[in-house]
Amino acid sequence: MTTLGVYVQVPFCASKCTFCNFDSGVVPTAMIDRYCAALEREIVQLRQHFQGRGLDPDLLDLPVDTVYIGGGTPTLLGRGRLSRIFRALGSTFHLEALHEWTLEATPGSADSSLLAWLAECGVNRLSIGAQSFDDRELRWTGRLHTAADTCMLVEASRRAGFRSVSLDLIAGLPGQTEPSWIQSLQQAIQLKPQHLSVYLFEIDEKSRLGHEALHGGSRYHAEALPDEGFVADAYEEARRTLVGLGFEQYEISNFARAGYESVHNLKYWRREPYVGLGAGAHSFDGRYRWSNEAAPEVYRAALERGESPIRDLRELTSMEAIEEFFFLGLRHRTGVDVATARARWGAGLIAHWDDAIRSLRAEGWLEGEGDVIRLAPRAYLLSNEVFQRFLLASEAGKSR
Amino acid sequence: MADPRFIRNFSIVAHIDHGKSTLADRLLELTGALSKREMAEQVLDSMDLERERGITIKAHAVRLHYHARDGQEYQLNLIDTPGHVDFSYEVSRSLSACEGALLVVDASQGVEAQTLANAQLAMNNKLAIIPVINKIDLPGADIEMTKQQIEHALALDPSEALLISAKAGTGVPEVLEAIVRRIPPPRGSPEAPLKALIFDSWYDSYRGVVVLTRVVEGTLRVGARIRLWSNRQVYEVEDLGVLTPKPVHVDQLQAGEVGFVIANIKRVADTRIGDTITEEERPAAEPLPGFEEIKPMVFAGLYPVDASEYENLRDALEKLRLNDASFFYEPENSVALGFGFRCGFLGLLHMEIIQERLEREFKLNLITTAPGVRFRVTTKSGQVLFVESPTKFPPASDIAQIEEPVITAMIFTQDEYLGPILALLEEKRGVQKGFEYVSAQRVLLTYEVPLNEIVLDFYDRLKSVSRGYASLDYHFSGYWASDLVKVDLLVAGEPVDALSFICHRDQAYGRARALCEKMRKLIPRQLFEVAIQASVGAKIIARENVPPLRKNVLAKCYGGDVTRKRKLLEKQKEGKKRMKRVGRVDIPQEAFLAVLKVSE
């Protein structure tokens, strides 16, 4: 039976990290209040917005099995605002079969009474942005917490009774060294999380740190950024260690104890439907992809005028859908079954990808038996190079 | 009919930015040729590109009517000249259509290299030269120093110099008077057999080729059958006119006059600058002196980035050549770059102009290979070849001698920059021919330098070592035998023909190292280690490695934002498509330009 995932975006933080390439910011309390009111309104009026944009509102009748409240720093909202959002979710969605309810938490932003209350509400998974256990690395990237705060939050969340705790780590932060990375990794492991995400800092224009590094500046300790080789080694080190300890690497950057994979995140890779709520949130119903207005103030104003915040609504072509099937599905450890694609889109269309698959297999980037293909472990760090070769639609479009 | 006694034909010549165009504007304004309102600023520069670069690329001729203080009405023909060293032949032909020239010198800058080059051309054409010191109202103006330099560098009488400010209009009426009094009237008989000089031509899509001409002897009439001396082609004159600067029809142009001819000529290439027009029925006994075939001096390969644009590039080159017979092109095939064209230009600026017009007007995305020169190669079997592309060089073992074109360079500078300039000339294998103080602290250097060194990065280097306080002009002076070698570049074992270059044996190691290092920075990491090597013959003389790519991965899927992920993948894929694949390696466009700017 098809189920639905729900994502709620909280684009606020107590401070902006230098590595952040996400639309989130530090704003006054009054603005947070108005945003939350708009968010409630969006949730409650969702059905009308769907109809207004020609989307099938039946999607909203699917049983919801995962909710993910992310950010930003959702814990910043506090009990009052969160409870109103939860109530709104309950009024719009069928949450009876809710299986995984994740909330992102930043160390230092949640006390034990808030955690206890969240657990009581039904939140059963806490995703903690540890990022590093080296206090200098945390300070240099503008984080407001220390490694000790992270440990305290993990202990408190365990006492509160969450079923699963996940920790995020980032490889490639300024000042990071091999010993400091190993120490972060070891400390994270000692906290016995059920789930770990290992991200690699992306040097791009969207973050302050990335921008500085690209333009050769020295603010944000950009000159202390480790090189590509270090980041690749750090990732491999984490993989070896975690897999050695019995974690399963079920996706390029995610590791979990058996049974603790993030069901919500899997929906993205498996192209299962999800509805995103809040500024800049993304949605997919199996046919259409859309996103909400990204600027929180514009998003809020639209809802206050009673308008839909939906932007960039687009129906995928078959070619695009198939490309996604490959480049998203291959992120998962088990890969994809080409036979499934043939059954869904027809063998004739899927044959366009035969050459790419054959050559990637021959070059050793893909492995698997029969119709099943998956990334070879050596391809994880170079997965974008592999995925690019599955993009055929844009070329077909140009040659027309 | 104009009495030749009341005709004056003149040019204005100057170093760049010394105020030539401003003075021309003032003359037009004062003689009423154009009202201030009608006049776009600096009307004589017509193409956008010219305006942007502040230089005049094509010559024009404007007829002015001047009521002089002696009470007479004069016909003044102002013949505009290109202001750049690349076009010195065209300048020389334009000057030969005149009896006099205004030599404009900026009072705050003094005599510069182009001032000297232009003055020499004017003297060679036996023109009356009127020195004009401009910008006398600038705070930095030093009239005395400028006069000294006019005397020492140009051997002109500084007491005859006019002092003006073209911008403010000060002294400009005296310039008009001087033109009338100091420039001799044209000689030549309207009854003699026709001899008219072609000094410019362009293609007009409605009227065919428009030729600017100065009638030296005889009379040009509408309906007459004319013959072009160099190719013996015969045409019938359809229309004659003068530019005021608006075109005005006339029935005839007689000895001493300047104007345009339209004669159903289809190709600009048929109307060669410096050629003589005569009459079919009554031809002149001999042509006007000074005609030369224009020879391109600088060569480069032009390739479309996207192979499918090859046809468009060919069409664009054809169109440009319609109006510019001085550049040449022929198909060329490069292993690395695919199909393209070998093009020959008058000089570096000319090359840049063509390149920019192709990109701007024809929206082409081009790769230009390193500019080079035409070498004279004598093989062991005694054959003499002219080779302008490194890829066409015969094997080293077959070569008996290589000669390279040499230019005579004139450089004006302040003596405080002499040290680094002399070092640069030394590095560029220059041979000193002259060293002269033209005033206190101002030096004129005359050097012979291989042209191959000039095309590499000489301008940029000269500018940087002199902080912009050096001016350069040069002319071709012959061929030298040199110990030259061909350096090849190999990427992952594959030779990249477009990156081969010719240099002196002593420079090969340094340049090869510099190029390899640059390529290492420009070639993005690939999935495997890439060796970059430079070789002379079979011998590897430099090597660098590009380590393999370690990571290209998007870790996070921001709240299910698949579109962002797709865009990144598409962008990366698109980036690869813009590169050229040589063997297994993707090489970005900039890498092909790297060889342009390799210095030790």
Side-chain angles (χ1 to χ4, degrees):
Chain A
M1 153 130 217
T2 314
T3 55
L4 182 66
V6 172
Y7 179 87
V8 178
Q9 169 65 2
V10 180
F12 306 116
C13 287
S15 73
K16 178 113 174 152
C17 307
T18 63
F19 56 74
C20 178
N21 60 2
F22 212 60
D23 288 314
S24 70
V26 183
V27 300
T29 321
M31 218 185 254
I32 298 183
D33 282 331
R34 294 180 72 180
Y35 176 81
C36 288
L39 181 59
E40 279 171 59
R41 195 186 271 236
E42 186 196 2
I43 298 170
V44 174
Q45 297 175 344
L46 200 54
R47 204 167 285 273
Q48 290 99 287
H49 293 158
F50 265 50
Q51 280 160 342
R53 299 301 304 263
L55 290 163
D56 184 358
D58 287 353
L59 186 74
L60 305 176
D61 294 328
L62 290 175
V64 171
D65 60 345
T66 65
V67 169
Y68 196 108
I69 312 222
T73 309
T75 38
L76 208 61
L77 298 192
R79 192 163 158 170
R81 298 189 191 94
L82 284 171
S83 72
R84 282 198 297 280
I85 293 167
F86 295 170
R87 204 173 310 131
L89 289 173
S91 73
T92 296
F93 295 101
H94 297 282
L95 300 176
E96 297 78 18
L98 185 58
H99 159 74
E100 178 190 279
W101 185 349
T102 306
L103 187 124
E104 284 183 350
T106 303
S109 73
D111 58 20
S112 37
S113 83
L114 180 71
L115 294 174
W117 175 77
L118 286 168
E120 203 178 297
C121 289
V123 175
N124 56 15
R125 187 171 181 272
L126 209 63
S127 173
I128 297 173
Q131 320 308 11
S132 164
F133 285 85
D134 181 297
D135 285 344
R136 189 183 69 161
E137 289 165 23
L138 290 169
R139 204 167 55 241
W140 277 12
T141 52
R143 309 264 317 163
L144 297 178
H145 64 89
T146 60
D149 293 329
T150 308
C151 297
M152 276 183 327
L153 178 59
V154 175
E155 294 306 330
S157 57
R158 190 152 293 132
R159 280 196 303 278
F162 294 103
R163 177 177 172 267
S164 169
V165 168
S166 174
L167 293 174
D168 288 356
L169 289 178
I170 300 181
L173 294 178
Q176 210 164 45
T177 60
E178 198 188 337
S180 84
W181 174 247
I182 290 172
Q183 186 210 312
S184 285
L185 202 56
Q186 289 303 331
Q187 287 221 40
I189 291 164
Q190 273 164 31
L191 292 171
K192 298 194 166 40
Q194 282 78 15
H195 187 282
L196 264 160
S197 299
V198 178
Y199 297 131
L200 311 182
F201 173 60
E202 285 158 30
I203 296 177
D204 62 23
E205 289 286 351
K206 293 192 190 91
S207 68
R208 286 178 291 161
L209 175 56
H211 177 90
E212 192 70 10
L214 287 174
H215 296 270
S218 59
R219 283 183 297 170
Y220 316 121
H221 302 278
E223 79 288 351
L225 274 168
D227 65 17
E228 180 183 307
F230 171 89
V231 181
D233 289 342
Y235 173 82
E236 294 296 351
E237 169 73 26
R239 236 161 65 81
R240 249 193 326 274
T241 308
L242 294 170
V243 171
L245 288 168
F247 281 89
E248 189 165 65
Q249 182 175 20
Y250 68 97
E251 197 267 347
I252 290 173
S253 38
N254 287 299
F255 301 82
R257 295 285 178 196
Y260 288 92
E261 297 172 345
S262 165
V263 181
H264 184 84
N265 280 329
L266 284 178
K267 288 178 188 291
Y268 300 149
W269 314 130
R270 290 183 177 151
R271 305 185 72 247
E272 290 167 2
Y274 51 91
V275 171
L277 306 160
H282 294 263
S283 304
F284 178 57
D285 69 355
R287 267 179 77 188
Y288 291 90
R289 287 197 180 276
W290 67 94
S291 61
N292 280 351
E293 166 60 47
E297 284 301 283
V298 183
Y299 162 84
R300 178 182 60 69
L303 282 155
E304 283 174 1
R305 287 194 304 267
E307 293 162 12
S308 159
I310 294 177
R311 306 282 183 265
D312 304 324
L313 174 70
R314 207 172 158 268
E315 183 176 8
L316 298 175
T317 63
S318 299
M319 292 293 274
E320 288 169 333
I322 298 166
E323 288 175 350
E324 285 188 10
F325 170 82
F326 285 115
F327 78 70
L328 295 173
L330 281 170
R331 292 187 63 103
H332 195 267
R333 178 183 58 87
T334 56
V336 297
D337 186 348
V338 183
T340 317
R342 274 194 217 103
R344 166 122 190 239
W345 289 288
L349 211 46
I350 299 303
H352 286 108
W353 279 268
D354 284 353
D355 284 349
I357 293 171
R358 196 176 310 119
S359 58
L360 284 164
R361 261 190 162 136
E363 292 162 35
W365 300 108
L366 291 180
E367 47 183 47
E369 304 72 38
D371 275 333
V372 174
I373 48 169
R374 57 177 177 267
L375 284 185
R378 63 178 276 252
Y380 285 179
L381 273 176
L382 296 166
S383 48
N384 283 350
E385 298 285 329
V386 175
F387 298 157
Q388 279 166 41
R389 289 165 65 175
F390 283 94
L391 296 184
L392 305 181
S394 48
E395 268 173 26
K398 285 217 180 73
S399 63
R400 236 180 275 131
Chain B
M1 200 52 27
D3 182 336
R5 284 180 301 155
F6 304 117
I7 296 176
R8 298 291 182 273
N9 296 316
F10 71 104
S11 275
I12 310 177
V13 290
H15 191 75
I16 189 163
D17 285 338
H18 279 203
K20 178 173 102 167
S21 297
T22 314
L23 177 58
D25 289 355
R26 288 296 159 272
L27 297 181
L28 263 67
E29 221 178 279
L30 274 182
T31 54
L34 277 182
S35 73
K36 256 189 186 163
R37 241 197 61 219
E38 271 180 305
M39 189 162 61
E41 198 192 340
Q42 298 184 357
V43 291
L44 293 184
D45 293 356
S46 64
M47 287 200 302
D48 278 359
L49 216 59
E50 292 181 19
R51 200 158 290 187
E52 266 170 43
R53 287 166 182 267
I55 52 162
T56 309
I57 295 158
K58 277 281 166 191
H60 298 264
V62 182
R63 178 179 290 190
L64 311 172
H65 293 283
Y66 174 57
H67 195 79
R69 289 178 194 156
D70 62 11
Q72 283 294 336
E73 185 80 20
Y74 286 85
Q75 178 199 112
L76 307 184
N77 292 304
L78 165 55
I79 293 167
D80 200 25
T81 59
H84 191 274
V85 47
D86 285 0
F87 305 103
S88 62
Y89 173 72
E90 297 187 15
V91 176
S92 139
R93 292 305 85 204
S94 290
L95 291 177
S96 75
C98 305
E99 280 76 30
L102 305 176
L103 182 71
V104 180
V105 185
D106 183 327
S108 65
Q109 306 294 319
V111 170
E112 300 275 8
Q114 281 168 252
T115 324
L116 174 59
N118 282 315
Q120 287 176 347
L121 289 175
M123 288 172 200
N124 292 345
N125 281 292
K126 302 191 172 61
L127 303 195
I129 298 175
I130 304 174
V132 177
I133 299 178
N134 189 22
K135 306 196 193 182
I136 54 165
D137 52 345
L138 281 190
D142 187 339
I143 294 167
E144 275 320 300
M145 177 210 69
T146 307
K147 283 186 171 173
Q148 253 181 47
Q149 293 177 6
I150 288 174
E151 183 172 8
H152 295 137
L154 310 177
L156 293 172
D157 182 353
S159 68
E160 291 181 357
L162 301 172
L163 305 182
I164 70 161
S165 163
K167 202 167 174 202
T170 320
V172 180
E174 283 65 36
V175 174
L176 283 167
E177 278 301 307
I179 291 169
V180 168
R181 286 192 202 148
R182 284 152 65 174
I183 294 176
R187 283 188 299 228
S189 151
E191 283 77 40
L194 177 67
K195 274 190 198 177
L197 173 78
I198 299 179
F199 62 87
D200 196 6
S201 70
W202 63 87
Y203 186 81
D204 181 285
S205 44
Y206 296 105
R207 315 215 58 187
V209 175
V210 181
V211 178
L212 286 186
T213 188
R214 153 75 197 271
V215 182
V216 180
E217 295 282 354
T219 303
L220 252 174
R221 292 184 181 83
V222 174
R225 286 166 60 77
I226 53 168
R227 195 166 84 192
L228 305 186
W229 200 281
S230 71
N231 58 19
R232 298 197 181 130
Q233 297 203 37
V234 177
Y235 302 92
E236 189 181 312
V237 176
E238 290 178 349
D239 195 7
L240 292 173
V242 297
L243 300 165
T244 68
K246 288 170 258 179
V248 173
H249 167 83
V250 295
D251 291 327
Q252 61 174 40
L253 290 169
Q254 65 178 38
E257 289 191 300
V258 172
F260 64 82
V261 186
I262 292 170
N264 197 23
I265 304 173
K266 302 283 189 242
R267 303 189 315 150
V268 168
D270 292 333
T271 57
R272 303 191 201 172
I273 308 284
D275 200 0
T276 304
I277 302 174
T278 189
E279 253 173 319
E280 170 70 351
E281 321 300 332
R282 193 170 61 121
E286 75 277 340
L288 295 163
F291 174 70
E292 281 173 29
E293 291 274 349
I294 300 185
K295 285 196 202 81
M297 298 295 288
V298 173
F299 298 82
L302 292 183
Y303 289 84
V305 172
D306 185 346
S308 67
E309 282 192 6
Y310 175 79
E311 299 287 320
N312 297 345
L313 173 58
R314 197 188 50 202
D315 292 349
L317 289 170
E318 221 173 278
K319 278 194 188 123
L320 286 184
R321 193 171 149 81
L322 267 185
N323 243 331
D324 184 352
S326 60
F327 104 95
F328 112 112
Y329 64 96
E330 65 185 21
E332 182 182 60
N333 188 4
S334 151
V335 178
L337 301 174
F339 291 99
F341 295 91
R342 192 76 194 164
C343 302
F345 310 93
L346 295 176
L348 278 181
L349 178 89
H350 189 214
M351 176 175 104
E352 268 177 55
I353 290 169
I354 298 277
Q355 201 182 325
E356 228 174 286
R357 290 189 64 187
L358 288 169
E359 290 185 348
R360 192 186 301 197
E361 292 169 33
F362 298 92
K363 308 264 179 287
L364 291 164
N365 207 356
L366 298 177
I367 291 177
T368 309
T369 63
V373 300
R374 182 176 267 169
F375 296 97
R376 190 154 69 190
V377 179
T378 312
T379 64
K380 287 191 174 147
S381 60
Q383 214 186 343
V384 176
L385 311 165
F386 282 90
V387 186
E388 63 259 355
S389 165
T391 53
K392 289 195 185 141
F393 254 72
S397 53
D398 293 355
I399 297 175
Q401 180 181 255
I402 304 176
E403 290 161 291
E404 60 182 331
V406 177
I407 53 112
T408 300
M410 294 169 295
I411 297 170
F412 276 90
T413 189
Q414 301 298 115
D415 57 4
E416 61 190 290
Y417 303 110
L418 269 178
I421 292 176
L422 293 177
L424 175 65
L425 285 161
E426 176 81 3
E427 180 197 320
K428 297 294 189 184
R429 300 188 281 131
V431 173
Q432 195 178 91
K433 295 285 164 185
F435 183 112
E436 187 186 345
Y437 272 89
V438 292
S439 64
Q441 284 142 32
R442 190 120 178 109
V443 177
L444 165 61
L445 297 172
T446 311
Y447 265 75
E448 283 196 332
V449 188
L451 181 59
N452 201 32
E453 299 288 341
I454 301 284
V455 300
L456 198 60
D457 58 359
F458 187 77
Y459 280 120
D460 292 348
R461 296 278 303 281
L462 180 66
K463 209 168 158 184
S464 91
V465 299
S466 66
R467 306 216 183 129
Y469 286 105
S471 59
L472 165 75
D473 204 292
Y474 63 77
H475 56 264
F476 177 66
S477 58
Y479 273 88
W480 265 358
S482 292
D483 187 8
L484 299 171
V485 292
K486 178 179 162 204
V487 178
D488 292 312
L489 198 95
L490 297 96
V491 173
E494 296 272 343
V496 185
D497 53 3
L499 289 174
S500 296
F501 61 94
I502 308 290
C503 73
H504 194 268
R505 189 180 299 278
D506 296 347
Q507 297 166 330
Y509 280 87
R511 291 207 177 145
R513 252 197 311 277
L515 180 62
C516 285
E517 206 171 298
K518 214 153 190 181
M519 294 297 284
R520 175 173 58 79
K521 291 181 192 145
L522 287 169
I523 294 182
R525 294 181 175 207
Q526 319 267 323
L527 294 173
F528 44 88
E529 186 175 64
V530 176
I532 299 165
Q533 297 163 305
S535 69
V536 170
K539 191 177 170 202
I540 302 291
I541 58 170
R543 183 190 167 113
E544 292 278 344
N545 287 324
V546 179
L549 179 71
R550 289 294 307 278
K551 86 177 172 67
N552 179 12
V553 59
L554 249 196
K556 218 163 170 167
C557 185
Y558 306 86
D561 185 355
V562 171
T563 312
R564 178 165 171 174
K565 214 174 140 47
R566 169 187 283 280
K567 277 190 187 143
L568 179 100
L569 292 174
E570 280 173 351
K571 200 174 134 198
Q572 289 189 348
K573 185 160 188 160
E574 194 52 39
K576 285 201 183 117
K577 261 172 63 186
R578 277 202 307 274
M579 295 192 221
K580 282 281 176 186
R581 176 158 274 223
V582 177
R584 294 190 300 157
V585 183
D586 290 317
I587 303 180
Q589 266 183 72
E590 307 89 75
F592 294 101
L593 306 177
V595 73
L596 306 181
K597 301 268 156 93
V598 172
S599 40
E600 280 158 279

